[in-house]
Amino acid sequence: MHVQEWLETVPAVSIYALVGVVIGLESLGIPLPGEIILVSSALLASQHGDIDPVILGACATAGAIIGDSIGYAIGRRGGRPLLAWLGRRFPRHFSEGHIATAERSFEKWGMWAVFFGRFVALLRIFAGPLAGVLRMPYWKFLIANVLGGILWAGGTTAVIYYVGVVAEAWLKRFSWVGLVLAVCVGLTSMLIIKRKAKKATAAAPQQPAEPVPAAAD
């Protein structure tokens, strides 16, 4: 709620830029609360006509795709030393265990790890740089990156926006009961997608990873 209250004091153009930049930096590999900023901004858009949800979703999608692509380029250039540096810099997010789990997911699922990684906080930060380090062919990465970015950023914006609109209308008629029901309906769809993504990533460590030769450019 503190995030949303602060966003209410910021002009609409600044919110678009903030959402794009924060999500872009998070996708690049910097641990930032991109999802919290996006959800708060989409909810605010449902309550204030000054914020266009289409522009908001487009900025979030652009930030996600561009950030992941930059992260891929950095990972491809930096290689393993980059992961070691990130581990020292952000030990909570880039520990050896987290990196090993993410690597097994990539080796097993390939481009699907990039796609579903959008819905899992850990893989959302790792996806771009790790795909570059593992030298995933860029065309595969780009397809998964674009589709995942559109579904996650655009879908989250749409769901939260319409939940907010419905909640406000119901709130006027049915008080807090309408708000609770509307939020539950909207969040359920997001939780289903996230649960499927977590099952996909959790299944990877169950089988020992086999050495995977570096993919050709």
Side-chain angles (χ1 to χ4, degrees), residues 150-171:
I150 292 174
L151 183 60
W152 175 74
T156 298
T157 301
V159 169
I160 297 300
Y161 174 79
Y162 285 110
V163 165
V165 171
V166 172
E168 186 176 8
W170 284 14
L171 187 60

Side-chain angles (χ1 to χ4, degrees), residues 167 170-171 173-184:
W170 284 14
L171 187 60
R173 299 180 182 179
F174 308 108
S175 186
W176 60 271
V177 176
L179 176 61
V180 172
L181 291 177
V183 171
C184 288

